[in-house]
mmCIF file of all heavy atoms in Angstrom:
data_model
loop_
_atom_site.group_PDB
_atom_site.id
_atom_site.type_symbol
_atom_site.label_atom_id
_atom_site.label_comp_id
_atom_site.label_asym_id
_atom_site.label_seq_id
_atom_site.Cartn_x
_atom_site.Cartn_y
_atom_site.Cartn_z
ATOM 1 N N VAL G 24 -4.207 14.448 -5.417
ATOM 2 C CA VAL G 24 -4.288 13.148 -4.758
ATOM 3 C C VAL G 24 -5.420 13.194 -3.753
ATOM 4 O O VAL G 24 -5.531 14.127 -2.958
ATOM 5 C CB VAL G 24 -2.955 12.810 -4.047
ATOM 6 C CG1 VAL G 24 -3.060 11.487 -3.317
ATOM 7 C CG2 VAL G 24 -1.825 12.766 -5.073
ATOM 8 N N LEU G 25 -6.259 12.181 -3.781
ATOM 9 C CA LEU G 25 -7.451 12.172 -2.951
ATOM 10 C C LEU G 25 -7.106 12.286 -1.479
ATOM 11 O O LEU G 25 -7.850 12.886 -0.708
ATOM 12 C CB LEU G 25 -8.243 10.885 -3.207
ATOM 13 C CG LEU G 25 -9.560 10.738 -2.429
ATOM 14 C CD1 LEU G 25 -10.535 11.804 -2.891
ATOM 15 C CD2 LEU G 25 -10.141 9.364 -2.625
ATOM 16 N N SER G 26 -5.982 11.719 -1.034
ATOM 17 C CA SER G 26 -5.648 11.727 0.379
ATOM 18 C C SER G 26 -5.538 13.146 0.918
ATOM 19 O O SER G 26 -5.676 13.383 2.111
ATOM 20 C CB SER G 26 -4.341 10.966 0.638
ATOM 21 O OG SER G 26 -3.308 11.490 -0.143
ATOM 22 N N LEU G 27 -5.303 14.123 0.030
ATOM 23 C CA LEU G 27 -5.240 15.510 0.482
ATOM 24 C C LEU G 27 -6.601 15.990 0.947
ATOM 25 O O LEU G 27 -6.702 16.963 1.702
ATOM 26 C CB LEU G 27 -4.744 16.413 -0.653
ATOM 27 C CG LEU G 27 -3.320 16.156 -1.145
ATOM 28 C CD1 LEU G 27 -3.014 17.093 -2.308
ATOM 29 C CD2 LEU G 27 -2.308 16.360 -0.026
ATOM 30 N N CYS G 28 -7.653 15.318 0.510
ATOM 31 C CA CYS G 28 -9.005 15.729 0.875
ATOM 32 C C CYS G 28 -9.493 15.022 2.135
ATOM 33 O O CYS G 28 -10.558 15.328 2.653
ATOM 34 C CB CYS G 28 -9.980 15.396 -0.258
ATOM 35 S SG CYS G 28 -9.516 16.083 -1.861
ATOM 36 N N LEU G 29 -8.731 14.055 2.625
ATOM 37 C CA LEU G 29 -9.199 13.242 3.731
ATOM 38 C C LEU G 29 -8.893 13.907 5.059
ATOM 39 O O LEU G 29 -7.978 14.697 5.201
ATOM 40 C CB LEU G 29 -8.532 11.859 3.685
ATOM 41 C CG LEU G 29 -8.726 11.112 2.366
ATOM 42 C CD1 LEU G 29 -8.095 9.746 2.461
ATOM 43 C CD2 LEU G 29 -10.197 10.993 2.012
ATOM 44 N N LEU G 30 -9.668 13.533 6.075
ATOM 45 C CA LEU G 30 -9.432 14.062 7.406
ATOM 46 C C LEU G 30 -8.200 13.425 8.016
ATOM 47 O O LEU G 30 -7.871 12.277 7.716
ATOM 48 C CB LEU G 30 -10.652 13.760 8.296
ATOM 49 C CG LEU G 30 -11.955 14.411 7.858
ATOM 50 C CD1 LEU G 30 -13.092 13.960 8.766
ATOM 51 C CD2 LEU G 30 -11.836 15.930 7.899
ATOM 52 N N PRO G 31 -7.489 14.137 8.897
ATOM 53 C CA PRO G 31 -6.301 13.546 9.512
ATOM 54 C C PRO G 31 -6.651 12.345 10.362
ATOM 55 O O PRO G 31 -7.720 12.269 10.957
ATOM 56 C CB PRO G 31 -5.737 14.696 10.369
ATOM 57 C CG PRO G 31 -6.896 15.615 10.592
ATOM 58 C CD PRO G 31 -7.738 15.506 9.360
ATOM 59 N N ARG G 32 -5.730 11.405 10.419
ATOM 60 C CA ARG G 32 -5.942 10.206 11.207
ATOM 61 C C ARG G 32 -5.615 10.484 12.670
ATOM 62 O O ARG G 32 -4.841 11.366 12.997
ATOM 63 C CB ARG G 32 -5.050 9.057 10.708
ATOM 64 C CG ARG G 32 -5.319 8.657 9.289
ATOM 65 C CD ARG G 32 -4.612 7.371 8.961
ATOM 66 N NE ARG G 32 -3.190 7.460 9.213
ATOM 67 C CZ ARG G 32 -2.494 6.551 9.865
ATOM 68 N NH1 ARG G 32 -3.089 5.509 10.359
ATOM 69 N NH2 ARG G 32 -1.211 6.686 10.041
ATOM 70 N N ILE G 33 -6.173 9.676 13.564
ATOM 71 C CA ILE G 33 -5.840 9.759 14.975
ATOM 72 C C ILE G 33 -4.493 9.085 15.172
ATOM 73 O O ILE G 33 -4.272 7.947 14.752
ATOM 74 C CB ILE G 33 -6.919 9.049 15.821
ATOM 75 C CG1 ILE G 33 -8.275 9.728 15.618
ATOM 76 C CG2 ILE G 33 -6.534 9.044 17.286
ATOM 77 C CD1 ILE G 33 -9.427 8.993 16.265
ATOM 78 N N ALA G 34 -3.567 9.772 15.804
ATOM 79 C CA ALA G 34 -2.230 9.214 16.012
ATOM 80 C C ALA G 34 -2.287 8.083 17.026
ATOM 81 O O ALA G 34 -2.972 8.156 18.041
ATOM 82 C CB ALA G 34 -1.291 10.314 16.509
ATOM 83 N N LEU G 35 -1.565 7.012 16.739
ATOM 84 C CA LEU G 35 -1.489 5.891 17.657
ATOM 85 C C LEU G 35 -0.335 6.092 18.623
ATOM 86 O O LEU G 35 0.714 6.597 18.258
ATOM 87 C CB LEU G 35 -1.287 4.586 16.875
ATOM 88 C CG LEU G 35 -2.409 4.219 15.912
ATOM 89 C CD1 LEU G 35 -2.086 2.910 15.215
ATOM 90 C CD2 LEU G 35 -3.741 4.119 16.626
#
Side-chain angles (χ1 to χ4, degrees):
V24 178
L25 182 65
S26 55
L27 296 177
C28 305
L29 304 183
L30 297 176
R32 299 191 304 133
I33 299 172
L35 298 180

